[in-house]
Amino acid sequence: MRIAIDARGVKPKLQGVGRHVLNLLLGLSSRESDLEFLVFYNNPLARKLVDRSGGPYRGRFQWIKAISHPGTLIERVEIPWLLKIHNASLFHDVANLGFRTGNVPRVVTVHELATLRFDAHPKIQRIKRSLRGARLVISVSQSLAEEIEGSFSIPRPKIRVISNAIDPWYTERVTDKEVRAMRDRFQLRGKYFLCVTADRPSKNLALVQKLAETWQGADEWVFTIPGVDTGRLRHFDVVEDVWLRPLYTASNALIVPSLYEGFSLPPVEALAAGNIPVVSDIPPHREMLGEVLPNELFFDPKSVEALQRSLQIVAEGGEPLHASVIEKFRAVRDRYSFIETAQHIQSVYREALRG
């Protein structure tokens, strides 16, 4: 059986879906399987990283160069054509793009449904068509699965919940040399808070900006988003992993102010790197981190004062709080392993192939 995976979202500066797909490929290359994998790509990064990983089963991948990019009109012709000529048995639509795949059945992964809440003209019919046409739907969290069921009347037995995964590289110790190089690279002196996010309404960046304007401490504020430095705000563009890991490790805390998430990878990455996040009090964060973080580190995403209190609790808690949180995370860390995630997704492939 040949499973086609859409890896066209994997680009040099990894974010979101691209990161998810790369971790899936790395996991699939590390476990024995009776399946073969067709990988559609248009940037060589995914192939290079998988080849370098040394995964013993990467030889099962057939890499197929695509012309189209995700979300373009040409993909609606090219992808079904590639599926047909390469005799694909199943297509994994990793980003719920919703285009038709001819006679090839689909598994669809949904990462979020922010469009329903924040877009002026959400593409509801396209999403509904995509989900109802899939044999199985993968949701990255339980709370998102409930949203899929309620918003689109997708039967709950059709939905499988599989969390996103983190690269185990984040769990390796960051050296003092790496931290010094990072500080020199970004001209960071002294203490700072970190916010790894995108500039979209659902991410609620304005809350952190408001707090930064009134902050009385000696800390700097660091964001991995495009922009111009203003006062205590420091704006970076998308940061490569080689810098992101020491940024996580050396920060006072990671701030995740989102109004909405399907699954939030940065707090898990920060915990893996040995640091504490403070997160908005929304269902996916409670689902992911309720066993790990004390209640005081969940804050009202509409309150500047609530965010400031959470940050002060991190500062006052010191090493005992830090040690307690990291110990609790280690107890649940394996649920975010990309090898385990890939194994669960393979099970979904086999179930979908049985019809």
Side-chain angles (χ1 to χ4, degrees), residues 120-133:
H121 303 287
K123 299 177 180 178
I124 295 175
Q125 293 305 315
R126 190 209 72 184
I127 298 172
K128 182 184 295 186
R129 184 170 60 249
S130 172
L131 297 178
R132 291 185 174 179

Side-chain angles (χ1 to χ4, degrees), residues 1-301:
M1 295 293 188
R2 314 184 88 190
I3 312 301
I5 300 172
D6 186 359
R8 293 173 300 145
V10 180
K11 302 183 186 303
K13 292 185 176 180
L14 284 167
Q15 289 181 294
V17 174
R19 185 179 294 277
H20 166 75
V21 175
L22 179 61
N23 285 341
L24 171 60
L25 296 176
L26 291 170
L28 292 173
S29 74
S30 302
R31 282 286 184 95
E32 186 175 6
S33 176
D34 57 344
L35 302 172
E36 295 181 11
F37 301 101
L38 309 171
V39 184
F40 299 155
Y41 74 101
N42 47 31
N43 187 293
L45 177 67
R47 185 170 188 172
K48 288 179 181 178
L49 292 177
V50 170
D51 286 344
R52 289 176 190 167
S53 72
Y57 302 104
R58 62 191 186 280
R60 281 202 172 89
F61 292 177
Q62 180 181 345
W63 296 88
I64 300 166
K65 185 70 177 291
I67 298 172
S68 63
H69 292 265
T72 58
L73 289 175
I74 193 174
E75 72 179 352
R76 301 180 186 183
V77 176
E78 184 189 30
I79 299 302
W81 177 72
L82 290 175
L83 292 170
K84 181 178 180 180
I85 66 171
H86 291 285
N87 298 313
S89 307
L90 184 73
F91 177 60
H92 186 178
D93 179 353
V94 297
N96 193 21
L97 293 170
F99 52 78
R100 300 181 186 277
T101 54
N103 295 324
V104 179
R106 285 178 293 126
V107 166
V108 171
T109 293
V110 182
H111 297 272
E112 64 170 8
L113 291 172
T115 180
L116 301 184
R117 303 187 186 192
F118 297 94
D119 287 4
H121 303 287
K123 299 177 180 178
I124 295 175
Q125 293 305 315
R126 190 209 72 184
I127 298 172
K128 182 184 295 186
R129 184 170 60 249
S130 172
L131 297 178
R132 291 185 174 179
R135 284 200 175 169
L136 291 172
V137 174
I138 297 174
S139 168
V140 295
S141 66
Q142 182 66 39
S143 55
L144 179 60
E146 294 169 1
E147 187 177 4
I148 292 168
E149 181 182 18
S151 298
F152 297 101
S153 301
I154 303 299
R156 189 61 183 81
K158 186 177 176 177
I159 305 171
R160 303 291 177 269
V161 177
I162 303 176
S163 297
N164 281 335
I166 56 171
D167 191 320
W169 180 65
Y170 277 99
T171 66
E172 297 178 9
R173 182 178 175 273
V174 176
T175 66
D176 292 341
K177 182 179 179 180
E178 289 176 292
V179 172
R180 286 195 300 271
M182 176 274 294
R183 286 186 176 276
D184 288 342
R185 165 68 176 79
F186 296 109
Q187 294 297 297
L188 280 172
R189 301 291 179 260
K191 299 177 180 180
Y192 65 92
F193 295 115
L194 179 68
C195 185
V196 179
T197 189
D199 192 5
R200 299 199 299 268
S202 62
K203 302 300 185 180
N204 196 27
L205 186 57
L207 182 76
V208 184
Q209 291 172 327
K210 288 178 183 177
L211 181 54
E213 292 168 1
T214 59
W215 184 258
Q216 299 299 315
D219 303 294
E220 293 186 61
W221 295 79
V222 181
F223 300 90
T224 58
I225 62 167
V228 178
D229 292 357
T230 57
R232 294 188 184 275
L233 290 172
R234 294 288 307 281
H235 292 264
F236 303 150
D237 202 341
V238 179
V239 174
E240 295 87 347
D241 283 5
V242 67
W243 301 118
L244 185 56
R245 196 167 61 112
L247 274 167
Y248 278 137
T249 301
S251 67
N252 282 30
L254 174 75
I255 302 170
V256 188
S258 307
L259 294 167
Y260 173 89
E261 293 281 355
F263 181 95
S264 188
L265 201 55
V268 184
E269 290 177 337
L271 286 161
N275 212 334
I276 296 180
V278 297
V279 300
S280 56
D281 195 355
I282 57 176
H285 286 158
R286 285 287 181 179
E287 180 183 336
M288 295 163 50
L289 303 169
E291 302 171 64
V292 176
L293 298 180
N295 191 57
E296 296 80 8
L297 300 191
F298 294 87
F299 61 87
D300 179 353

